[in-house]
Amino acid sequence: MKEQGLLLIVSGPSGAGKGTVVEALLARGGYALSISATTRPPRPYEQEGVHYFFQTEKEFEDMVQADGFLEHAAFCGHHYGTPKNYVLQQMAQGKHVILEIEVQGAFQVKEKYPEAVLLFLAPPSLAELKKRLEGRGTEDAQTIAARLRRAQEEMALVEKYDYLVVNSQVEDAVADIEAILRAEKRRCIRQKEFLQHFREGQEGLC
């Protein structure tokens, strides 16, 4: 029987390097990226079941009523959610499922699925974060200032997470995350099947 994977929730401010770290983890194998459902129309390059699960408003609402999402929210007139069954299926195959999501959604998932591992990915400093945002060359000063304020708000919630990883170097952050997941797999609360077999064997010796 394949050992079940974990649900890893990754949050952090824009510019912390979440996408780069997640891509590096996926490249190592044994991981799956959570795919969201949405009611917005697909863009020309987007594929069903790869980028999103595309749904009608009724299909989405039916899943909400059936408690089919780990979390869901509305944004810019469309609905987005994390389908519960897809996540559980991937975990049953032994994969660690990565859900990259903002802090409020992370807490919503943790409430519904307490076994999830909450990880906050942070930049080394606000000064470094500002440098990274400016280095993108895609946002004006006002937008960057807003992102920095938002980063400070998110950092104020870090202590509600299980782990904090500082992303100074991608390879170091990835190594830290893999060490965390190895330790999480060995927690006694996740070893119920082994402990049950051990107790049964103990009874047979008496």
Side-chain angles (χ1 to χ4, degrees):
M1 185 176 180
K2 193 167 287 187
E3 193 174 16
Q4 180 160 308
L6 303 175
L7 175 57
L8 175 66
I9 301 173
V10 179
S11 303
S14 177
K18 297 186 298 297
T20 304
V21 168
V22 168
E23 283 181 11
L25 286 167
L26 292 171
R28 296 197 170 203
Y31 294 87
L33 188 63
S34 175
I35 301 174
S36 297
T38 182
T39 58
R40 76 158 172 76
R43 295 177 180 131
Y45 64 88
E46 290 178 332
Q47 299 176 48
E48 168 70 17
V50 176
H51 298 94
Y52 285 96
F53 296 115
F54 295 99
Q55 298 183 333
T56 64
E57 291 284 350
K58 184 180 186 308
E59 288 171 337
F60 195 96
E61 182 57 32
D62 287 346
M63 280 190 67
V64 171
Q65 295 301 320
D67 193 29
F69 291 112
L70 288 174
E71 59 81 33
H72 61 90
F75 181 71
C76 292
H78 299 293
H79 292 92
Y80 297 82
T82 302
K84 186 188 298 183
N85 284 344
Y86 177 80
V87 170
L88 297 179
Q89 286 166 6
Q90 295 297 310
M91 290 167 58
Q93 293 174 20
K95 295 179 181 178
H96 296 318
V97 178
I98 304 171
L99 175 56
E100 185 185 327
I101 196 169
E102 50 79 36
V103 291
Q104 296 304 327
F107 298 148
Q108 192 177 344
V109 175
K110 184 73 170 180
E111 186 175 345
K112 281 197 170 186
Y113 192 79
E115 297 91 342
V117 180
L118 260 63
L119 185 143
F120 194 94
L121 190 71
S125 66
L126 279 175
E128 174 62 21
L129 182 61
K130 182 180 180 182
K131 180 181 174 183
R132 291 180 185 180
L133 291 171
E134 290 174 340
R136 289 175 172 177
T138 57
E139 296 165 332
D140 58 27
Q142 186 176 358
T143 303
I144 290 173
R147 290 198 182 281
L148 290 172
R149 287 194 297 272
R150 177 59 181 160
Q152 289 175 297
E153 292 170 359
E154 291 172 332
M155 287 297 295
L157 299 171
V158 163
E159 290 182 7
K160 293 186 177 183
Y161 277 70
D162 299 316
Y163 299 94
L164 169 65
V165 171
V166 178
N167 182 23
S168 297
Q169 297 290 332
V170 172
E171 57 270 23
D172 293 338
V174 169
D176 285 346
I177 292 170
E178 292 206 306
I180 286 167
L181 293 176
R182 284 195 297 272
E184 280 288 330
K185 291 288 286 184
R186 302 280 71 81
R187 289 183 63 189
C188 291
I189 197 169
R190 301 189 195 277
Q191 302 294 321
K192 293 178 182 178
E193 187 174 343
F194 168 80
L195 292 172
Q196 181 61 33
H197 286 317
F198 188 86
R199 292 187 186 106
E200 290 172 355
Q202 204 173 26
E203 291 170 3
L205 294 173
C206 297

